[in-house]
Amino acid sequence: MTEGWIAIAGLGPGDEMLVTPQVTAALDAASDIVGYIPYVARIAPRAGLTLHPSDNRVELDRAAHALDMAAAGKRVVVVSSGDPGVFAMAAALFEALETGPAHWRNLDIQVLPGITAMLAASARAGAPLGHDFCAINLSDNLKPWPLIEKRLRLAAEADFAMAFYNPRSKARPEGLARVLDVLREACGADRPILFARAVSTPQEELRIVSLGEARADMADMRTMVIVGSSLTRIIDRPTRPILYTPRSAV
Ligand code: SAH
């Protein structure tokens, strides 16, 4: 039996050109692919490769399954979109490892980075994350709303640009409206906000508005939302405007 291994890999935001050669090499060497259904659907089937798509919200079961297969000698790639360390499977896998059987700790485990949605969106719009910024997951599955609101207010007070993942879902249609209310109160109505949907795919849509104009229905679960700091500005051009934050705060 060959030695098993596990790689937790980021597939980037969507465009195949944005998958790193390191991730492509791991996928080519894999015997088994594990991940959320739409991410596994991005992997081309081939002889000798078994695909194990699973539903959302079963991250720990998925991680345990991947670790068990690697322990049994399989070459397993766990796929995430974007980067696997950003609100994704790498942390879930280590949660399973920490509490799982001791023999899992002997496994060859590697995290292979990918281009996270925040950086892909930022690049398409210009450079809104050019100065200090923070990233916040707006999903309240794993944390209570008061904690999200506290982090928003403190990030606004610190004058960070903010990148929001998971801005909206069918299960929480009112969450983003509350976030926008808090931001208008903390940052004012003129602050620019970017809604970047399905970046690097054929469905890509970018919209830059002011916080005063922003509405929750401008985002869905495929949208990255970036709010500027007090320094973030727009360069108007005949084609698309550029949204950027200068490097200096003085
Ligand atoms: N690990 C992923 C993030 C998973 S959370 C990463 O590093 O990108 C899922 C959220 O990421 C989505 O709700 C959306 O906010 C964002 N996202 C993922 N792909 C995106 C894309 N192509 N365009 C815009 N946002 C995207």
mmCIF file of all heavy atoms in Angstrom, residues 12-14 39 80-89 114-118 120-121 137 164-168 196-201 220-225, ligand 1:
data_model
loop_
_atom_site.group_PDB
_atom_site.id
_atom_site.type_symbol
_atom_site.label_atom_id
_atom_site.label_comp_id
_atom_site.label_asym_id
_atom_site.label_seq_id
_atom_site.Cartn_x
_atom_site.Cartn_y
_atom_site.Cartn_z
ATOM 1 N N GLY A 12 -9.392 28.720 -5.803
ATOM 2 C CA GLY A 12 -9.499 30.089 -6.293
ATOM 3 C C GLY A 12 -10.952 30.486 -6.512
ATOM 4 O O GLY A 12 -11.875 29.726 -6.221
ATOM 5 N N PRO A 13 -11.171 31.707 -7.044
ATOM 6 C CA PRO A 13 -12.525 32.253 -7.101
ATOM 7 C C PRO A 13 -13.396 31.697 -8.222
ATOM 8 O O PRO A 13 -14.596 31.944 -8.245
ATOM 9 C CB PRO A 13 -12.280 33.749 -7.304
ATOM 10 C CG PRO A 13 -10.952 33.822 -7.984
ATOM 11 C CD PRO A 13 -10.143 32.680 -7.438
ATOM 12 N N GLY A 14 -12.823 30.991 -9.191
ATOM 13 C CA GLY A 14 -13.662 30.440 -10.259
ATOM 14 C C GLY A 14 -12.914 30.199 -11.557
ATOM 15 O O GLY A 14 -13.008 29.129 -12.148
ATOM 16 N N TYR A 39 -18.002 22.672 -5.381
ATOM 17 C CA TYR A 39 -16.541 22.740 -5.540
ATOM 18 C C TYR A 39 -16.015 21.445 -6.167
ATOM 19 O O TYR A 39 -15.160 21.484 -7.058
ATOM 20 C CB TYR A 39 -15.851 23.010 -4.198
ATOM 21 C CG TYR A 39 -16.387 24.235 -3.476
ATOM 22 C CD1 TYR A 39 -16.328 24.337 -2.093
ATOM 23 C CD2 TYR A 39 -16.952 25.295 -4.178
ATOM 24 C CE1 TYR A 39 -16.831 25.451 -1.422
ATOM 25 C CE2 TYR A 39 -17.452 26.405 -3.528
ATOM 26 C CZ TYR A 39 -17.398 26.483 -2.153
ATOM 27 O OH TYR A 39 -17.895 27.579 -1.496
ATOM 28 N N SER A 80 -11.636 23.485 -1.341
ATOM 29 C CA SER A 80 -12.434 24.649 -0.936
ATOM 30 C C SER A 80 -12.406 25.622 -2.105
ATOM 31 O O SER A 80 -11.500 25.566 -2.936
ATOM 32 C CB SER A 80 -11.791 25.368 0.256
ATOM 33 O OG SER A 80 -11.996 24.677 1.459
ATOM 34 N N SER A 81 -13.343 26.562 -2.133
ATOM 35 C CA SER A 81 -13.196 27.645 -3.097
ATOM 36 C C SER A 81 -12.201 28.643 -2.512
ATOM 37 O O SER A 81 -11.911 28.619 -1.312
ATOM 38 C CB SER A 81 -14.533 28.319 -3.382
ATOM 39 O OG SER A 81 -14.919 29.120 -2.298
ATOM 40 N N GLY A 82 -11.689 29.521 -3.339
ATOM 41 C CA GLY A 82 -10.775 30.559 -2.847
ATOM 42 C C GLY A 82 -9.565 29.950 -2.163
ATOM 43 O O GLY A 82 -8.871 29.105 -2.724
ATOM 44 N N ASP A 83 -9.326 30.375 -0.937
ATOM 45 C CA ASP A 83 -8.238 29.837 -0.119
ATOM 46 C C ASP A 83 -8.845 28.923 0.945
ATOM 47 O O ASP A 83 -9.851 29.294 1.564
ATOM 48 C CB ASP A 83 -7.479 30.990 0.552
ATOM 49 C CG ASP A 83 -6.313 30.456 1.383
ATOM 50 O OD1 ASP A 83 -6.530 30.106 2.557
ATOM 51 O OD2 ASP A 83 -5.204 30.354 0.840
ATOM 52 N N PRO A 84 -8.235 27.757 1.196
ATOM 53 C CA PRO A 84 -8.844 26.820 2.146
ATOM 54 C C PRO A 84 -8.728 27.270 3.599
ATOM 55 O O PRO A 84 -9.419 26.753 4.469
ATOM 56 C CB PRO A 84 -8.052 25.527 1.922
ATOM 57 C CG PRO A 84 -6.725 25.981 1.417
ATOM 58 C CD PRO A 84 -7.002 27.211 0.588
ATOM 59 N N GLY A 85 -7.856 28.255 3.852
ATOM 60 C CA GLY A 85 -7.689 28.748 5.214
ATOM 61 C C GLY A 85 -8.614 29.904 5.555
ATOM 62 O O GLY A 85 -8.631 30.375 6.691
ATOM 63 N N VAL A 86 -9.367 30.404 4.572
ATOM 64 C CA VAL A 86 -10.235 31.564 4.810
ATOM 65 C C VAL A 86 -11.688 31.094 4.859
ATOM 66 O O VAL A 86 -12.272 30.776 3.816
ATOM 67 C CB VAL A 86 -10.039 32.634 3.707
ATOM 68 C CG1 VAL A 86 -10.961 33.822 3.947
ATOM 69 C CG2 VAL A 86 -8.586 33.090 3.672
ATOM 70 N N PHE A 87 -12.243 31.016 6.063
ATOM 71 C CA PHE A 87 -13.643 30.607 6.277
ATOM 72 C C PHE A 87 -13.956 29.338 5.486
ATOM 73 O O PHE A 87 -14.927 29.293 4.727
ATOM 74 C CB PHE A 87 -14.599 31.747 5.906
ATOM 75 C CG PHE A 87 -14.235 33.073 6.523
ATOM 76 C CD1 PHE A 87 -14.173 34.232 5.776
ATOM 77 C CD2 PHE A 87 -13.931 33.154 7.889
ATOM 78 C CE1 PHE A 87 -13.822 35.454 6.355
ATOM 79 C CE2 PHE A 87 -13.580 34.366 8.470
ATOM 80 C CZ PHE A 87 -13.515 35.514 7.703
ATOM 81 N N ALA A 88 -13.122 28.317 5.654
ATOM 82 C CA ALA A 88 -13.238 27.147 4.783
ATOM 83 C C ALA A 88 -12.714 25.888 5.473
ATOM 84 O O ALA A 88 -12.628 25.836 6.696
ATOM 85 C CB ALA A 88 -12.520 27.431 3.467
ATOM 86 N N MET A 89 -12.313 24.905 4.670
ATOM 87 C CA MET A 89 -12.099 23.556 5.190
ATOM 88 C C MET A 89 -10.828 23.343 6.010
ATOM 89 O O MET A 89 -10.749 22.378 6.766
ATOM 90 C CB MET A 89 -12.103 22.546 4.034
ATOM 91 C CG MET A 89 -13.481 22.107 3.595
ATOM 92 S SD MET A 89 -14.526 21.470 4.951
ATOM 93 C CE MET A 89 -13.676 19.960 5.399
ATOM 94 N N GLY A 114 -4.856 29.276 -2.006
ATOM 95 C CA GLY A 114 -5.527 29.676 -3.243
ATOM 96 C C GLY A 114 -5.819 31.166 -3.189
ATOM 97 O O GLY A 114 -5.611 31.812 -2.150
ATOM 98 N N ILE A 115 -6.304 31.707 -4.282
ATOM 99 C CA ILE A 115 -6.636 33.140 -4.316
ATOM 100 C C ILE A 115 -8.012 33.321 -3.700
ATOM 101 O O ILE A 115 -9.012 32.832 -4.238
ATOM 102 C CB ILE A 115 -6.593 33.679 -5.749
ATOM 103 C CG1 ILE A 115 -5.154 33.578 -6.267
ATOM 104 C CG2 ILE A 115 -7.099 35.129 -5.798
ATOM 105 C CD1 ILE A 115 -4.972 34.033 -7.681
ATOM 106 N N THR A 116 -8.045 33.986 -2.576
ATOM 107 C CA THR A 116 -9.302 34.165 -1.855
ATOM 108 C C THR A 116 -10.179 35.230 -2.519
ATOM 109 O O THR A 116 -9.662 36.151 -3.183
ATOM 110 C CB THR A 116 -8.995 34.492 -0.377
ATOM 111 O OG1 THR A 116 -10.211 34.483 0.358
ATOM 112 C CG2 THR A 116 -8.329 35.837 -0.213
ATOM 113 N N ALA A 117 -11.483 35.110 -2.328
ATOM 114 C CA ALA A 117 -12.454 35.993 -2.994
ATOM 115 C C ALA A 117 -12.165 37.469 -2.743
ATOM 116 O O ALA A 117 -12.311 38.306 -3.634
ATOM 117 C CB ALA A 117 -13.864 35.644 -2.518
ATOM 118 N N MET A 118 -11.756 37.777 -1.518
ATOM 119 C CA MET A 118 -11.470 39.171 -1.158
ATOM 120 C C MET A 118 -10.389 39.769 -2.066
ATOM 121 O O MET A 118 -10.499 40.924 -2.510
ATOM 122 C CB MET A 118 -11.015 39.136 0.301
ATOM 123 C CG MET A 118 -10.188 40.206 0.810
ATOM 124 S SD MET A 118 -9.859 39.887 2.559
ATOM 125 C CE MET A 118 -8.295 39.039 2.462
ATOM 126 N N ALA A 120 -9.440 38.564 -5.101
ATOM 127 C CA ALA A 120 -9.905 38.561 -6.490
ATOM 128 C C ALA A 120 -10.828 39.762 -6.716
ATOM 129 O O ALA A 120 -10.714 40.465 -7.723
ATOM 130 C CB ALA A 120 -10.630 37.249 -6.787
ATOM 131 N N ALA A 121 -11.732 40.023 -5.760
ATOM 132 C CA ALA A 121 -12.672 41.148 -5.894
ATOM 133 C C ALA A 121 -11.927 42.468 -5.853
ATOM 134 O O ALA A 121 -12.177 43.379 -6.654
ATOM 135 C CB ALA A 121 -13.711 41.085 -4.775
ATOM 136 N N ASN A 137 -16.520 37.392 8.437
ATOM 137 C CA ASN A 137 -17.514 36.467 7.915
ATOM 138 C C ASN A 137 -18.867 36.883 8.494
ATOM 139 O O ASN A 137 -19.047 36.867 9.710
ATOM 140 C CB ASN A 137 -17.138 35.049 8.363
ATOM 141 C CG ASN A 137 -18.038 33.992 7.768
ATOM 142 O OD1 ASN A 137 -19.061 34.295 7.168
ATOM 143 N ND2 ASN A 137 -17.656 32.743 7.959
ATOM 144 N N PHE A 164 -16.242 41.617 3.500
ATOM 145 C CA PHE A 164 -17.254 40.737 4.093
ATOM 146 C C PHE A 164 -17.493 39.503 3.235
ATOM 147 O O PHE A 164 -17.846 39.604 2.055
ATOM 148 C CB PHE A 164 -18.594 41.467 4.238
ATOM 149 C CG PHE A 164 -18.523 42.683 5.120
ATOM 150 C CD1 PHE A 164 -18.994 43.907 4.674
ATOM 151 C CD2 PHE A 164 -17.989 42.609 6.393
ATOM 152 C CE1 PHE A 164 -18.928 45.038 5.480
ATOM 153 C CE2 PHE A 164 -17.916 43.731 7.204
ATOM 154 C CZ PHE A 164 -18.386 44.944 6.741
ATOM 155 N N TYR A 165 -17.310 38.350 3.854
ATOM 156 C CA TYR A 165 -17.655 37.063 3.233
ATOM 157 C C TYR A 165 -19.052 36.653 3.704
ATOM 158 O O TYR A 165 -19.519 37.069 4.763
ATOM 159 C CB TYR A 165 -16.656 35.981 3.670
ATOM 160 C CG TYR A 165 -15.294 36.112 3.039
ATOM 161 C CD1 TYR A 165 -14.374 37.029 3.519
ATOM 162 C CD2 TYR A 165 -14.926 35.304 1.964
ATOM 163 C CE1 TYR A 165 -13.107 37.133 2.945
ATOM 164 C CE2 TYR A 165 -13.672 35.401 1.382
ATOM 165 C CZ TYR A 165 -12.766 36.325 1.880
ATOM 166 O OH TYR A 165 -11.523 36.432 1.313
ATOM 167 N N ASN A 166 -19.686 35.801 2.916
ATOM 168 C CA ASN A 166 -21.025 35.277 3.261
ATOM 169 C C ASN A 166 -21.988 36.403 3.660
ATOM 170 O O ASN A 166 -22.578 36.368 4.740
ATOM 171 C CB ASN A 166 -20.927 34.263 4.410
ATOM 172 C CG ASN A 166 -20.260 32.984 3.968
ATOM 173 O OD1 ASN A 166 -20.646 32.390 2.976
ATOM 174 N ND2 ASN A 166 -19.244 32.560 4.707
ATOM 175 N N PRO A 167 -22.181 37.410 2.802
ATOM 176 C CA PRO A 167 -22.970 38.566 3.212
ATOM 177 C C PRO A 167 -24.458 38.265 3.348
ATOM 178 O O PRO A 167 -25.157 38.974 4.052
ATOM 179 C CB PRO A 167 -22.738 39.574 2.090
ATOM 180 C CG PRO A 167 -22.421 38.734 0.896
ATOM 181 C CD PRO A 167 -21.660 37.561 1.429
ATOM 182 N N ARG A 168 -24.922 37.228 2.677
ATOM 183 C CA ARG A 168 -26.374 37.084 2.609
ATOM 184 C C ARG A 168 -26.738 35.645 2.262
ATOM 185 O O ARG A 168 -26.074 35.003 1.466
ATOM 186 C CB ARG A 168 -26.895 37.981 1.482
ATOM 187 C CG ARG A 168 -28.371 38.234 1.540
ATOM 188 C CD ARG A 168 -28.660 39.552 0.859
ATOM 189 N NE ARG A 168 -30.033 39.947 1.122
ATOM 190 C CZ ARG A 168 -31.044 39.628 0.349
ATOM 191 N NH1 ARG A 168 -30.868 38.887 -0.719
ATOM 192 N NH2 ARG A 168 -32.251 40.052 0.662
ATOM 193 N N ALA A 196 -19.173 42.782 -5.299
ATOM 194 C CA ALA A 196 -18.486 42.064 -6.377
ATOM 195 C C ALA A 196 -19.029 40.639 -6.406
ATOM 196 O O ALA A 196 -18.777 39.853 -5.500
ATOM 197 C CB ALA A 196 -16.977 42.056 -6.139
ATOM 198 N N ARG A 197 -19.793 40.356 -7.461
ATOM 199 C CA ARG A 197 -20.475 39.060 -7.518
ATOM 200 C C ARG A 197 -19.774 38.120 -8.499
ATOM 201 O O ARG A 197 -19.394 38.522 -9.596
ATOM 202 C CB ARG A 197 -21.924 39.277 -7.972
ATOM 203 C CG ARG A 197 -22.678 38.013 -8.155
ATOM 204 C CD ARG A 197 -24.173 38.201 -8.308
ATOM 205 N NE ARG A 197 -24.800 36.915 -8.159
ATOM 206 C CZ ARG A 197 -24.910 36.035 -9.144
ATOM 207 N NH1 ARG A 197 -24.472 36.325 -10.342
ATOM 208 N NH2 ARG A 197 -25.475 34.868 -8.904
ATOM 209 N N ALA A 198 -19.624 36.857 -8.078
ATOM 210 C CA ALA A 198 -19.101 35.786 -8.952
ATOM 211 C C ALA A 198 -17.843 36.231 -9.693
ATOM 212 O O ALA A 198 -17.716 36.037 -10.909
ATOM 213 C CB ALA A 198 -20.183 35.337 -9.929
ATOM 214 N N VAL A 199 -16.927 36.810 -8.959
ATOM 215 C CA VAL A 199 -15.707 37.354 -9.557
ATOM 216 C C VAL A 199 -14.936 36.265 -10.303
ATOM 217 O O VAL A 199 -14.831 35.139 -9.817
ATOM 218 C CB VAL A 199 -14.810 37.964 -8.459
ATOM 219 C CG1 VAL A 199 -13.462 38.390 -9.035
ATOM 220 C CG2 VAL A 199 -15.503 39.157 -7.819
ATOM 221 N N SER A 200 -14.479 36.611 -11.458
ATOM 222 C CA SER A 200 -13.667 35.762 -12.348
ATOM 223 C C SER A 200 -14.464 34.650 -13.013
ATOM 224 O O SER A 200 -13.885 33.745 -13.609
ATOM 225 C CB SER A 200 -12.429 35.173 -11.626
ATOM 226 O OG SER A 200 -12.728 33.953 -10.978
ATOM 227 N N THR A 201 -15.801 34.728 -12.955
ATOM 228 C CA THR A 201 -16.637 33.756 -13.682
ATOM 229 C C THR A 201 -17.441 34.515 -14.745
ATOM 230 O O THR A 201 -17.505 35.751 -14.718
ATOM 231 C CB THR A 201 -17.634 33.039 -12.745
ATOM 232 O OG1 THR A 201 -18.735 33.917 -12.477
ATOM 233 C CG2 THR A 201 -16.985 32.618 -11.424
ATOM 234 N N ASP A 220 -25.719 38.580 -2.879
ATOM 235 C CA ASP A 220 -26.234 37.241 -2.617
ATOM 236 C C ASP A 220 -25.071 36.396 -2.107
ATOM 237 O O ASP A 220 -24.012 36.942 -1.782
ATOM 238 C CB ASP A 220 -26.900 36.642 -3.864
ATOM 239 C CG ASP A 220 -25.906 36.426 -5.003
ATOM 240 O OD1 ASP A 220 -24.687 36.583 -4.792
ATOM 241 O OD2 ASP A 220 -26.360 36.092 -6.114
ATOM 242 N N MET A 221 -25.249 35.076 -2.046
ATOM 243 C CA MET A 221 -24.192 34.255 -1.456
ATOM 244 C C MET A 221 -22.946 34.134 -2.332
ATOM 245 O O MET A 221 -21.929 33.608 -1.902
ATOM 246 C CB MET A 221 -24.732 32.854 -1.115
ATOM 247 C CG MET A 221 -25.505 32.819 0.188
ATOM 248 S SD MET A 221 -24.614 33.541 1.592
ATOM 249 C CE MET A 221 -23.474 32.215 1.983
ATOM 250 N N ARG A 222 -23.019 34.639 -3.562
ATOM 251 C CA ARG A 222 -21.809 34.606 -4.409
ATOM 252 C C ARG A 222 -21.149 35.980 -4.459
ATOM 253 O O ARG A 222 -20.353 36.263 -5.353
ATOM 254 C CB ARG A 222 -22.171 34.150 -5.829
ATOM 255 C CG ARG A 222 -22.706 32.725 -5.860
ATOM 256 C CD ARG A 222 -22.922 32.280 -7.283
ATOM 257 N NE ARG A 222 -21.661 32.023 -7.976
ATOM 258 C CZ ARG A 222 -21.541 31.857 -9.293
ATOM 259 N NH1 ARG A 222 -22.601 31.951 -10.054
ATOM 260 N NH2 ARG A 222 -20.362 31.614 -9.844
ATOM 261 N N THR A 223 -21.511 36.855 -3.526
ATOM 262 C CA THR A 223 -21.013 38.231 -3.558
ATOM 263 C C THR A 223 -20.031 38.495 -2.430
ATOM 264 O O THR A 223 -20.234 38.063 -1.295
ATOM 265 C CB THR A 223 -22.193 39.226 -3.424
ATOM 266 O OG1 THR A 223 -23.180 38.922 -4.406
ATOM 267 C CG2 THR A 223 -21.733 40.657 -3.597
ATOM 268 N N MET A 224 -18.969 39.203 -2.777
ATOM 269 C CA MET A 224 -18.012 39.714 -1.809
ATOM 270 C C MET A 224 -18.349 41.193 -1.641
ATOM 271 O O MET A 224 -18.541 41.895 -2.630
ATOM 272 C CB MET A 224 -16.629 39.557 -2.464
ATOM 273 C CG MET A 224 -15.477 39.860 -1.618
ATOM 274 S SD MET A 224 -15.225 38.521 -0.460
ATOM 275 C CE MET A 224 -14.793 39.507 0.936
ATOM 276 N N VAL A 225 -18.418 41.658 -0.408
ATOM 277 C CA VAL A 225 -18.726 43.062 -0.160
ATOM 278 C C VAL A 225 -17.491 43.701 0.471
ATOM 279 O O VAL A 225 -16.935 43.156 1.434
ATOM 280 C CB VAL A 225 -19.942 43.196 0.783
ATOM 281 C CG1 VAL A 225 -20.241 44.668 1.060
ATOM 282 C CG2 VAL A 225 -21.175 42.518 0.172
HETATM 283 N N1 SAH B 1 -12.661 30.042 1.160
HETATM 284 C C1 SAH B 1 -13.376 30.987 0.338
HETATM 285 C C2 SAH B 1 -14.494 31.683 1.095
HETATM 286 C C3 SAH B 1 -15.615 30.751 1.510
HETATM 287 S S1 SAH B 1 -16.959 31.624 2.218
HETATM 288 C C4 SAH B 1 -12.380 32.036 -0.198
HETATM 289 O O1 SAH B 1 -11.234 32.085 0.272
HETATM 290 O O2 SAH B 1 -12.745 32.798 -1.099
HETATM 291 C C5 SAH B 1 -17.998 31.849 0.771
HETATM 292 C C6 SAH B 1 -18.103 33.324 0.442
HETATM 293 O O3 SAH B 1 -16.953 33.733 -0.291
HETATM 294 C C7 SAH B 1 -19.272 33.698 -0.445
HETATM 295 O O4 SAH B 1 -20.459 33.890 0.293
HETATM 296 C C8 SAH B 1 -18.794 35.021 -1.040
HETATM 297 O O5 SAH B 1 -18.914 36.063 -0.087
HETATM 298 C C9 SAH B 1 -17.301 34.749 -1.206
HETATM 299 N N2 SAH B 1 -16.946 34.300 -2.564
HETATM 300 C C10 SAH B 1 -16.455 33.099 -2.923
HETATM 301 N N3 SAH B 1 -16.179 33.062 -4.252
HETATM 302 C C11 SAH B 1 -16.514 34.279 -4.743
HETATM 303 C C12 SAH B 1 -16.453 34.880 -6.046
HETATM 304 N N4 SAH B 1 -15.985 34.219 -7.120
HETATM 305 N N5 SAH B 1 -16.877 36.163 -6.169
HETATM 306 C C13 SAH B 1 -17.332 36.861 -5.101
HETATM 307 N N6 SAH B 1 -17.406 36.333 -3.844
HETATM 308 C C14 SAH B 1 -17.005 35.066 -3.678
#
